[in-house]
């Protein structure tokens, strides 16, 4: 049973579009991290959220932690080709698992 | 600054052969993780060490897999005998702070192909 479900699995958009990806679980998280992985490389941390309702911004990326700390979202404004990659959420709960991932392709 | 260093980057071997993957964590980091990534199963935690001691190896698929961390600067993941279903990218990651909230720093991975 996958602890963290991410949606959508795949997303292909044009440059300049906005998008939101989600990370959901039936369990409460003590903390949650978002990583981005580019082809041929390991994941790189984007942000850590620890407080229910917390919102963090990283340039065009906005991260939100659900009030109940069971879900999180990542919103990208005006996506660029450089945003292409696999987006992964990770929790420290139980087995320190990563989510199923959202593969994003942004075309020029 | 040197990041997490993994070797080899690519390994092609035949079924039944022994495979050893190596990892050098970032100096000063006290936690080390081995992950396996496939398209079907995503990124799976195999085992993690804290201060060179294995804390949880329940993700290790079976007895064919073993991992060691003889000192703070080196870890190995061994598969013996290897099988085609072991084909995947194996990542090593290290962390400096608490296991639950610390940032993971990943190596570039070792791509294993078992024929």
């Amino acid at each position: 049973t996958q602890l963290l479900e991410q949606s959508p699995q795949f997303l292909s958009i044009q440059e300049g579009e906005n998008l939101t990806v989600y990370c959901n679980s039936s369990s409460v998280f003590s903390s949650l991290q978002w990583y981005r992985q580019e082809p041929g490389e390991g994941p790189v941390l984007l942000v850590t959220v620890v407080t229910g309702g917390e919102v963090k911004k990283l340039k065009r990326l906005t991260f939100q932690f659900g009030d109940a700390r069971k879900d999180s979202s990542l919103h990208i404004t005006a996506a660029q080709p450089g945003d292409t990659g696999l987006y992964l959420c990770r929790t420290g709960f139980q087995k320190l698992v990563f989510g199923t991932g959202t593969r994003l392709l942004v075309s020029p | 600054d040197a990041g997490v260093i993994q070797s080899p980057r690519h390994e092609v071997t035949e079924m039944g052969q022994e495979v050893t993957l190596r990892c050098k964590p970032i100096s000063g980091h006290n936690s080390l993780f081995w992950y396996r990534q496939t398209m079907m199963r995503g990124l799976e935690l195999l085992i993690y060490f804290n201060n060179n001691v294995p804390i949880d190896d329940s993700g290790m698929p079976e007895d064919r897999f073993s991992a060691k961390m003889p000192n703070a600067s080196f870890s190995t993941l061994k598969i013996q005998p290897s099988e085609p279903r072991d084909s995947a990218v194996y990542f090593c990651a290290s962390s400096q702070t608490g296991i639950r909230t610390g940032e993971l720093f990943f190596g570039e991975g070792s791509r294993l192909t078992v024929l």
Side-chain angles (χ1 to χ4, degrees), chain A residues 33 35 37 43 45 92 95-96, chain B residues 37 58 100-104:
Chain A
Q33 297 176 330
Y35 288 77
Q37 183 180 19
L45 180 68
K95 286 188 168 294
L96 311 171
Chain B
Q37 187 174 40
S58 59
R100 293 184 182 277
T101 58
E103 175 179 0
L104 291 183

Side-chain angles (χ1 to χ4, degrees), chain A residues 2 10 30-31 33 35 37 40-43 45 48 50 86 88 90-96 98-99 103, chain B residues 9 33 35 37 39 41-43 45 48 56 58-59 91 99-109 111:
Chain A
Q2 183 61 253
F10 302 98
S30 57
S31 63
Q33 297 176 330
Y35 288 77
Q37 183 180 19
E41 299 180 7
L45 180 68
T48 300
V50 296
L86 177 66
L88 295 158
R90 172 192 175 238
T91 176
F93 182 77
Q94 290 188 341
K95 286 188 168 294
L96 311 171
F98 277 87
R103 199 168 295 276
Chain B
R9 288 295 312 277
F33 305 77
Y35 284 89
Q37 187 174 40
M39 286 295 292
R41 300 177 66 87
L43 200 57
L45 177 64
Y48 72 87
D56 183 357
S58 59
F91 285 101
I99 291 172
R100 293 184 182 277
T101 58
E103 175 179 0
L104 291 183
F105 292 83
F106 283 81
E108 293 183 307
R111 180 175 294 276

Side-chain angles (χ1 to χ4, degrees), chain A:
Chain A
T1 301
Q2 183 61 253
L3 187 61
L4 291 174
E5 293 289 341
Q6 290 187 243
S7 61
Q9 283 188 295
F10 302 98
L11 192 55
S12 181
I13 61 173
Q14 296 294 121
E15 182 176 2
E17 293 185 34
N18 301 330
L19 66 120
T20 302
V21 299
Y22 302 90
C23 175
N24 295 289
S25 174
S26 57
S27 303
V28 175
F29 307 145
S30 57
S31 63
L32 188 132
Q33 297 176 330
W34 284 94
Y35 288 77
R36 179 170 64 209
Q37 183 180 19
E38 298 184 13
E41 299 180 7
V44 175
L45 180 68
L46 296 174
V47 76
T48 300
V49 287
V50 296
T51 305
E54 182 176 4
V55 176
K56 282 191 174 181
K57 292 192 175 184
L58 183 65
K59 296 183 180 178
R60 295 175 294 100
L61 279 60
T62 301
F63 304 85
Q64 185 159 10
F65 202 12
D67 291 339
R69 292 187 290 129
K70 290 185 176 182
D71 56 87
S72 180
S73 64
L74 159 58
H75 181 80
I76 301 178
T77 303
Q80 299 178 2
D83 297 325
T84 292
L86 177 66
Y87 288 81
L88 295 158
C89 59
R90 172 192 175 238
T91 176
F93 182 77
Q94 290 188 341
K95 286 188 168 294
L96 311 171
V97 297
F98 277 87
T100 49
T102 292
R103 199 168 295 276
L104 172 65
L105 174 63
V106 182
S107 302

Side-chain angles (χ1 to χ4, degrees), chain B residues 6 15 34 52 84-85 87 111:
Chain B
Q6 291 187 245
M15 182 173 62
W34 282 101
N52 312 338
R85 59 187 167 134
S87 297
R111 180 175 294 276

Side-chain angles (χ1 to χ4, degrees), chain B residues 36 41 44-47 57-67 77-87 90:
Chain B
R36 177 174 67 177
R41 300 177 66 87
E44 302 174 279
L45 177 64
L46 300 177
I47 185 171
D57 65 354
S58 59
M60 297 285 263
E62 47 198 273
D63 292 344
R64 297 184 298 106
F65 285 68
S66 63
L77 178 67
K78 186 174 294 187
I79 309 172
Q80 167 63 24
S82 58
E83 297 182 3
R85 59 187 167 134
D86 301 331
S87 297
Y90 291 81

